[in-house]
Amino acid sequence: MAQGKPLRIANPIYREVIARVLSSPAEERLDAPRERFLLPDGRLAFRRLLRAFAAFWHEHGEVLASGMPYPEVAPQLVLMAFLQRAINVGNGGGFIDREYGVGRGRIDLLVRFPYRKPDGSPAVQRRALELKVWRKGQKDPLHEGLSQLDEYLKRLRLRRGTLVIFDARGRLAGTAPRFSQATTPRGRRAAVLRL
């Protein structure tokens, strides 16, 4: 851990390795071929990927989360495992940059996916996600999550992002996934996925 506050992982390599090791029990059970989530122009079909994860989570989330180390972050680990497998992290595919808001109840993810523009020049598609868990006895984290996503998007200079809220007040993955649209406090567009 890095010295001083806020509490954080000091080395970016450790940040990646820790997340990969913790999510590996779920990743080993996933079949999410990258080709399924590619657009004809080589970009990532991000909305399709999120819909596939929502369906996957609804069917398998509770079982996978129960077998994960550290149950308090199991939903986020399963999502990271799904993304890692779907975008082929480490095998010539995309990248996931992670930021952990220790004490703030959040995980920020930046998915970076390389592709080629029509003229053949390299480009990188970037998609930001804010992950929150709604626990029993807490209020709905929608407003806090939109504010945190807004801060993250501002730092990344992105105009839109996705807020994922896992409902852990009862049985995980017990309700049907719901997609909606929202606006952050600074007017950025946000897709909201409730699981």
Side-chain angles (χ1 to χ4, degrees):
M1 291 299 210
Q3 298 296 317
K5 293 187 179 184
L7 187 62
R8 64 197 181 286
I9 298 169
N11 185 316
I13 294 171
Y14 294 156
R15 190 177 317 134
E16 176 67 17
V17 169
I18 290 169
R20 294 297 296 264
V21 168
L22 291 177
S23 62
S24 65
E27 189 174 358
E28 292 167 0
R29 298 178 184 170
L30 293 171
D31 180 28
R34 180 173 65 166
E35 298 74 32
R36 213 175 122 193
F37 306 112
L38 290 180
L39 295 169
D41 64 3
R43 289 179 302 125
L44 188 62
F46 199 69
R47 188 174 299 143
R48 186 183 315 155
L49 188 146
L50 288 178
R51 290 194 183 286
F53 176 74
F56 172 82
W57 176 257
H58 187 59
E59 187 173 342
H60 305 287
E62 184 177 30
V63 171
L64 276 175
S66 68
M68 298 294 291
Y70 302 100
E72 60 275 3
V73 292
Q76 299 101 312
L77 291 172
V78 172
L79 175 55
M80 284 190 272
F82 189 90
L83 291 172
Q84 287 161 191
R85 181 59 59 105
I87 66 170
N88 205 17
V89 169
N91 293 314
F95 305 90
I96 301 173
D97 299 326
R98 298 165 172 89
E99 292 184 23
Y100 307 102
V102 178
R104 296 188 68 198
R106 67 191 274 186
I107 295 177
D108 298 329
L109 304 177
L110 175 64
V111 174
R112 295 181 293 127
F113 195 78
Y115 70 99
R116 296 245 173 230
K117 293 181 181 178
D119 66 5
S121 63
V124 176
Q125 180 182 5
R126 300 183 324 144
R127 295 288 184 260
L129 296 100
E130 179 83 24
L131 311 183
K132 302 286 287 179
V133 177
W134 187 0
R135 301 193 189 285
K136 195 173 190 173
Q138 295 178 338
K139 65 180 184 174
D140 184 346
L142 176 67
H143 297 294
E144 180 184 43
L146 287 171
S147 293
Q148 291 171 336
L149 177 62
D150 206 16
E151 293 171 23
Y152 192 47
L153 293 172
K154 181 181 176 188
R155 281 198 333 265
L156 297 172
R157 296 187 177 122
L158 292 173
R159 294 176 297 176
R160 63 183 173 165
T162 302
L163 172 61
V164 179
I165 300 174
F166 292 95
D167 190 343
R169 293 173 299 159
R171 187 174 66 90
L172 274 176
T175 58
R178 293 188 334 251
F179 285 90
S180 62
Q181 297 296 315
T183 304
T184 68
R186 291 187 186 101
R188 292 177 176 88
R189 292 184 307 156
V192 178
L193 171 55
R194 290 181 178 268
L195 299 161

